[in-house]
Amino acid sequence: MRDEFEGSAMDDLRQKYLGLIAETADEATLEDLRVRAVGKKGEISLKMRELGKMTPEERQVAGPALNALKDEINAALAARKASLADAALEARLKDEWLDVTLPGRPRRQGTIHPVSQVMEEITAIFADMGFSVAEGPQIESDWFNFDALNIPPEHPTRTEMDTFYMANQREGEPPHVLRTHTSPVQIRSMQAQGAPLRVIAPGRVYRSDYDQTHTPMFHQLEGLAVDRDLSMANLKWCLEEFVRAFFEVEKAELRFRASHFPFTEPSAEVDLRCSWVDGQLKVGEGDDWMEILGSGMVHPKVLEAGNIDPKEWQGFAFGIGIDRIAMLKYGIPDLRAFFDSDLRWLRHYGFAGLDVPTLHRGLSR
Ligand code: DAH
């Protein structure tokens, strides 16, 4: 009698819990159920405790049956838990569905500033020639900005560059300036990486100057290559490649004019053959020449300041005014508008955010 009774009681338990588990719709309720059934004080656990009061014969039947029931309920709980998790994920995927192929909403989209665009373009071109991008601080010690570049304190360049000096100079530290050019990054890169080396350093520079073609903050891009047996010929090839790629023309003619910079010897200013047709710039043809950058072979003293032995290594360097060639390439008349944050100007001259310049796809399309 007792066996039968126990048997049907266990069936009832099985039915009850399997039914409840199947009906459960969330994980919290399922956990409650687990505690009620197989938790320490759960119904099945309490039944197991009663085993002790049974006769050995009874126990032999009831023990395995209870264990089997417990296993069965645990398995059902685990299966239900997994299917609830699946359903939750399914619901979330449905809910958070996003069609990534939809076009953006132009009204809400910002644009890429021509200066950023041109920096990206130049970086893509030089990356293709094996140059990596270096950075330096905008508040720079006058040693890096001047002395290390062979510009001693009495040199006229220091005043020509209309330098901003920092008001609060720290005791025991060299005076600091807002860097007047990106050339100090040459020194920092040589010190950090040694030779051989190929870097470009785009960034902000500062001079106290303001008119239609000058703003107190503007952008330059420095280039530096250090290797054995580098010459002006390598520099010329490199710049011609750059200009053709940048202006997206088949042919570009450069003219090297002897010049002077303290940090290069020899030094050259580089002009680009061009013409103006109806106010539009044409690169590669015509009778005009336009100065686009300064360059030269790195002065031995500058290599030494970068801890590189000038008897073993040579370098060439160049400095490009980014804002200026952005104006040229994209026909932008007034430099000051670059920094006015006028949304109408940005919408007109800006670039779509997802059009990242690459060489293979075309820089500016
Ligand atoms: N630092 C110079 C300037 O701001 C530009 C320049 C000229 C950079 C010649 C160079 C260079 O690297 O070789 O006017």
Side-chain angles (χ1 to χ4, degrees):
M1 261 324 270
R2 185 169 178 139
D3 276 358
E4 254 169 58
F5 171 74
E6 282 295 327
S8 72
M10 256 193 267
D11 268 349
D12 289 349
L13 268 181
R14 173 187 291 111
Q15 300 279 321
K16 173 173 147 190
Y17 281 111
L18 292 184
L20 284 171
I21 289 169
E23 281 166 23
T24 315
D26 63 274
E27 288 195 35
T29 317
L30 195 66
E31 176 60 14
D32 282 349
L33 257 181
R34 189 190 65 77
V35 173
R36 263 170 61 197
V38 295
K40 255 195 202 143
K41 291 184 180 155
E43 217 169 339
I44 292 168
S45 311
L46 291 178
K47 280 248 174 305
M48 284 182 145
R49 269 186 227 167
E50 288 170 15
L51 288 173
K53 292 185 222 142
M54 293 181 187
T55 64
E57 293 77 28
E58 284 172 339
R59 204 181 300 140
Q60 233 166 33
V61 181
L66 267 174
N67 269 326
L69 176 60
K70 189 177 174 187
D71 289 347
E72 193 178 347
I73 290 193
N74 271 328
L77 282 165
R80 186 72 194 144
K81 191 168 175 177
S83 80
L84 283 177
D86 283 351
L89 179 64
E90 199 63 38
R92 212 179 125 200
L93 287 175
K94 237 186 196 152
D95 213 39
E96 296 176 5
W97 184 82
L98 173 73
D99 184 354
V100 292
T101 65
L102 279 177
R105 283 173 228 161
R107 291 268 315 147
R108 292 230 200 133
Q109 220 171 44
T111 60
I112 303 295
H113 194 284
V115 168
S116 307
Q117 168 78 15
V118 162
M119 279 192 193
E120 290 293 328
E121 292 180 16
I122 303 179
T123 304
I125 297 168
F126 281 106
D128 198 51
M129 293 193 253
F131 286 75
S132 54
V133 175
E135 279 182 328
Q138 295 175 42
I139 297 173
E140 185 59 284
S141 82
D142 71 348
W143 188 83
F144 277 104
N145 196 79
F146 295 123
D147 302 68
L149 291 159
N150 194 29
I151 310 172
E154 67 285 355
H155 200 282
T157 302
R158 292 213 185 192
T159 41
E160 273 161 30
M161 279 188 167
D162 299 312
T163 311
F164 286 113
Y165 282 84
M166 301 305 289
N168 298 321
Q169 305 287 355
R170 284 206 206 118
E171 276 287 307
E173 276 192 15
H176 279 66
V177 299
L178 289 179
R179 69 176 179 193
T180 56
H181 50 179
T182 42
S183 302
V185 188
Q186 286 190 32
I187 309 294
R188 290 185 175 274
S189 307
M190 287 191 278
Q191 290 186 350
Q193 298 179 36
L197 173 76
R198 271 182 233 176
V199 288
I200 52 169
R204 296 181 172 187
V205 300
Y206 303 83
R207 293 179 200 179
S208 178
D209 208 352
Y210 189 65
D211 60 34
Q212 198 185 341
T213 51
H214 297 92
T215 48
M217 186 283 291
F218 59 105
H219 300 85
Q220 282 190 340
L221 181 126
E222 196 76 14
L224 170 69
V226 177
D227 214 321
R228 298 179 203 275
D229 304 323
L230 275 187
S231 73
M232 287 292 272
N234 302 108
L235 169 67
K236 183 157 189 267
W237 178 85
C238 187
L239 293 177
E240 275 169 0
E241 280 296 300
F242 160 66
V243 166
R244 274 198 302 128
F246 180 72
F247 287 103
E248 299 173 72
V249 291
E250 283 296 313
K251 201 177 78 168
E253 198 183 330
L254 293 181
R255 178 173 77 178
F256 281 61
R257 243 178 325 105
S259 179
H260 175 78
F261 300 105
F263 29 89
T264 44
E265 180 58 40
S267 306
E269 278 174 295
V270 177
D271 303 335
L272 174 66
R273 186 188 282 283
C274 65
S275 58
W276 294 91
V277 182
D278 300 330
Q280 273 277 11
L281 174 76
K282 273 215 164 349
V283 170
E285 48 194 80
D287 298 326
D288 277 342
W289 292 95
M290 195 171 40
E291 186 197 321
I292 54 163
L293 58 91
S295 65
M297 299 305 294
V298 180
H299 196 288
K301 283 193 182 161
V302 174
L303 290 170
E304 268 166 12
N307 300 332
I308 288 178
D309 183 356
K311 286 192 212 71
E312 261 187 75
W313 304 93
Q314 297 86 50
F316 66 71
F318 52 88
I320 306 174
I322 293 182
D323 315 274
R324 193 172 143 76
I325 63 167
M327 289 168 76
L328 285 174
K329 180 168 180 181
Y330 294 113
I332 305 170
D334 190 337
L335 174 69
R336 288 172 295 195
F338 273 57
F339 311 115
D340 281 347
S341 304
D342 182 334
L343 274 179
R344 291 161 305 175
W345 186 91
L346 284 167
R347 285 203 187 102
H348 182 76
Y349 287 110
F351 293 80
L354 296 173
D355 283 347
V356 180
T358 58
L359 282 185
H360 58 273
R361 215 195 53 190
L363 288 182
S364 61
R365 295 221 291 176

